[in-house]
Amino acid sequence: MEFEFSIDENEAPPPSGFDLGHMHVRGNAGAASSRNRTPDQAMMIYLSLTLLLDGLRRFLAGRDRVHTTSAVDSSFSLTFRRRKGDSVETVHAGAVVDRSSAKELATAVHTGAEGFASTHLALLPADDAGRQDLEQSLAEFGAFLTRLT
């Protein structure tokens, strides 16, 4: 499974924690993307990524059977459903994108988020709320992933 996060090509400088961007997910049963959709499904990527990390962490640590994360300022969403054992199904628009273990899902999201952050966070001012929220979420998710493994 692979998560990829990007800034929309039409974003004008200077960078901001409210910039629009896209999410692309590739799994063992399909793919889902916010890119090239009608209507446009670009999302406030820093805020959406923070919501994804925080929501998925709480879902995987808890007992809920289903969790849906919705992007900020977009109709793009992903649903995660627990299956038998440690399996989690990732669904977009009713279609299964992936079935994997909780650890594999968490690792894929964290890897994609870290890749995005390493490229884009340093471009934001240190006091940008979107930057600060994402940095906090990445730290909490990283600690959770360590405990999960």
Side-chain angles (χ1 to χ4, degrees):
M1 174 164 225
E2 182 179 341
F3 282 77
E4 181 181 314
F5 307 98
S6 62
I7 299 291
D8 193 85
E9 323 48 62
N10 297 320
E11 278 301 315
S16 159
F18 300 108
D19 282 350
L20 296 178
H22 294 280
M23 182 183 307
H24 186 77
V25 183
R26 284 179 215 81
N28 56 25
S33 182
S34 64
R35 190 175 293 284
N36 301 322
R37 302 282 228 185
T38 304
D40 186 18
Q41 291 186 0
M43 64 193 71
M44 290 184 177
I45 191 64
Y46 293 95
L47 305 180
S48 297
L49 186 46
T50 296
L51 284 177
L52 172 63
L53 290 167
D54 291 349
L56 187 59
R57 177 177 46 82
R58 283 190 293 273
F59 169 69
L60 293 175
R63 295 181 183 217
D64 290 343
R65 302 290 301 157
V66 178
H67 170 70
T68 298
T69 184
S70 298
V72 177
D73 200 29
S74 172
S75 59
F76 187 84
S77 66
L78 292 173
T79 297
F80 303 99
R81 294 191 294 229
R82 289 187 199 278
R83 308 314 279 174
K84 291 183 179 183
D86 187 35
S87 179
V88 178
E89 200 169 63
T90 302
V91 178
H92 171 69
V96 175
V97 175
D98 187 78
R99 288 180 191 92
S100 55
S101 71
K103 178 183 172 186
E104 290 167 333
L105 171 61
T107 300
V109 169
H110 190 252
T111 299
E114 283 286 344
F116 176 82
S118 70
T119 302
H120 298 287
L121 275 184
L123 302 175
L124 298 179
D127 64 347
D128 184 285
R131 175 182 178 162
Q132 293 172 345
D133 287 350
L134 183 53
E135 287 173 334
Q136 178 70 33
S137 292
L138 279 166
E140 290 173 1
F141 200 90
F144 167 73
L145 186 58
T146 300
R147 290 188 309 271
L148 190 63
T149 56

